[in-house]
Amino acid sequence: MNSGILSRTMQLGWCSSTTVSETCTRNPIYMQALAVAQHVNTVVLKVHCSLPFRVLGVQYFISMTRPPKAQPSLLFRQLFEKESSTYTYLLADNAHPDRPAVLVDPVDKTAERDAALVEQLGLKLLYVMNTHVHADHITGTGILKNKIPEVRSAISRASGAKADLHLNAGEKIYFGNLYLEVRPTPGHTKGCVTYVTGEGPDQPSPRMVFTGDALLIRGCGRTDFQGGDASQLYNSVHSQIFTLPKDTLVYPAHDYKGHTVSTVGEELKLNPRLSKDEEEFKRIMKNLGLPYPKMIDVALPSNMVCGVQDPVAT
C-alpha cells in the first residue's frame, strides 16, 4: 500500500502518536477493516496507533460505520398540583413545524396554568389525555377544551367515561413524529391505562412511561374501589410496565414524598409492594386500611364527563 494514501489523520483517544509502519499495512485484518471503512467513508487516513493492529482495525471499523445519534426533538414538562399531589405532563414535538403537543392528567385547579404554558411555548395542543377516571381531583380536561376548542379529550374505552377519543390497547397517539403507545393496566380502576413513549431511533431515549396510579414511586394505587382488583393490578404492572427496558423513566400521576421520577429497574427492585410475589402483594393491599377518598363523591361524576358536569335539566 502506497504511504501517500495515508494523507489525513484520525486521532483515537486511546492511541499514542507513533505513526503506522509498513508492518501495519501488511497486517491482513487491519487492511480488511481499513478497506471496508474507506468504502463507507472516502476520507483517507493516517492512523496513529500503539495498540495491536487487530484491535485498531476493529475499533476503527466500528467507529466509521456506527449511525449518527438522532437529535432529540421532545419538549417535556412535569407540572405539579399541590392539593392532590398530582403530576401533569406536557409533551411536544419540538422539531415539527406545528410543535404539536399532548397533555397527560391535567387538574382543574391548574388548567389555566397549563393553557398559559402551551401558549407561551408556542405549542399546538392536540390531545388532553387521562390515565383513568380520577377519584382524588377533578380533571382539567373540560376547562382546557373550552379554552382551546380544537383540543380533543382522550381516555380508555374501558373507563366508560365521556371523551372525544376512546383508546384501546396498542393504539398509538401521534403528536408530530412522536407518539405515545396505549397499554392497559387495570387494577387500580377497571379503566386504567399507561402511556409509553415510542420505540425507535427517532423517539425519546431512554423511553418514558406515564403510569397514572397503577405504579407509583415505591408504591401503587389502592385497589378497594372503582372496580379495583389487587391480582389484576399486580399482573398489569408486571406484564405491561416491568417488561419495558430497565432504564425506562417512570412518571406517575402522584407522589406524596417529593419524588419526581424513577425507573423500571428501580421499581422492580425497590418497590415495597410490587417487588413481592403476587400473594404477598394481595395481602399487603388487603390490609392497607385506607380512609374513604375525600374527593371521590365530587370527582367521580365530574370526571365521567371530562371534568365538566352536564347542565341539569329544569
Side-chain angles (χ1 to χ4, degrees):
M1 184 176 183
N2 193 312
S3 60
I5 293 177
L6 302 175
S7 60
R8 294 179 65 183
T9 300
M10 179 184 73
Q11 295 287 352
L12 300 178
W14 36 261
C15 291
S16 77
S17 60
T18 304
T19 304
V20 65
S21 67
E22 290 185 4
T23 306
C24 176
T25 63
R26 289 196 296 268
N27 183 281
I29 296 176
Y30 170 79
M31 291 303 297
Q32 289 173 19
L34 183 60
V36 173
Q38 286 180 317
H39 179 73
V40 174
N41 187 328
T42 57
V43 174
V44 288
L45 306 161
K46 179 178 179 181
V47 181
H48 296 266
C49 164
S50 62
L51 293 180
F53 306 132
R54 178 178 61 83
V55 176
L56 172 65
V58 172
Q59 177 70 24
Y60 174 72
F61 172 72
I62 292 172
S63 68
M64 291 297 295
T65 58
R66 184 182 293 120
K69 187 175 181 180
Q71 293 299 311
S73 63
L74 176 68
L75 182 151
F76 174 68
R77 296 290 185 273
Q78 182 181 42
L79 307 165
F80 188 67
E81 192 282 308
K82 63 181 180 180
E83 188 171 320
S84 61
S85 298
T86 299
Y87 285 123
T88 297
Y89 299 99
L90 177 65
L91 298 89
D93 186 346
N94 212 25
H96 192 278
D98 294 335
R99 306 188 79 202
V102 298
L103 196 68
V104 178
D105 285 338
V107 180
D108 63 341
K109 295 182 184 300
T110 47
E112 297 280 350
R113 174 204 64 189
D114 299 342
L117 181 60
V118 167
E119 183 177 2
Q120 290 165 5
L121 295 176
L123 306 178
K124 181 179 180 179
L125 188 61
L126 301 181
Y127 300 106
V128 178
M129 308 164 64
N130 283 286
T131 53
H132 63 293
V133 177
H134 300 274
D136 52 7
H137 67 270
I138 297 174
T139 177
T141 302
I143 297 173
L144 289 161
K145 278 174 58 66
N146 286 333
K147 291 187 71 65
I148 312 172
E150 62 270 24
V151 168
R152 301 180 70 194
S153 59
I155 199 168
S156 75
R157 186 176 300 278
S159 71
K162 181 179 177 180
D164 298 316
L165 186 63
H166 287 110
L167 304 174
N168 298 305
E171 287 191 79
K172 295 177 180 178
I173 308 302
Y174 278 87
F175 51 107
N177 295 314
L178 306 177
Y179 69 88
L180 292 175
E181 175 195 343
V182 180
R183 294 196 174 198
T185 47
H188 169 60
T189 74
K190 65 180 181 180
C192 286
V193 292
T194 287
Y195 301 122
V196 189
T197 56
E199 185 175 19
D202 57 344
Q203 301 297 314
S205 180
R207 298 180 77 180
M208 307 160 76
V209 57
F210 302 92
T211 57
D213 288 14
L215 174 64
L216 305 178
I217 297 173
R218 311 298 190 265
C220 64
R222 61 195 295 172
T223 57
D224 57 339
F225 66 94
Q226 285 184 271
D229 182 276
S231 181
Q232 188 178 45
L233 178 59
Y234 184 90
N235 286 290
S236 291
V237 172
H238 277 264
S239 65
Q240 299 297 321
I241 300 174
F242 282 174
T243 52
L244 290 164
K246 288 183 173 56
D247 65 347
T248 302
L249 300 172
V250 173
Y251 290 101
H254 304 282
D255 191 84
Y256 309 99
K257 298 180 179 179
H259 299 293
T260 58
V261 63
S262 182
T263 66
V264 165
E266 280 185 33
E267 296 308 313
L268 266 169
K269 181 180 180 181
L270 301 174
N271 192 292
R273 300 176 186 176
L274 287 155
S275 62
K276 311 299 184 185
D277 63 39
E278 185 176 346
E279 290 305 312
E280 177 65 8
F281 176 76
K282 289 193 293 184
R283 186 194 67 77
I284 291 170
M285 299 306 291
K286 183 178 179 180
N287 293 289
L288 287 179
L290 297 173
Y292 188 74
K294 64 180 181 179
M295 280 287 294
I296 188 170
D297 293 329
V298 175
L300 279 186
S302 186
N303 290 339
M304 291 297 290
V305 290
C306 280
V308 175
Q309 291 281 11
D310 290 332
V312 177
T314 56

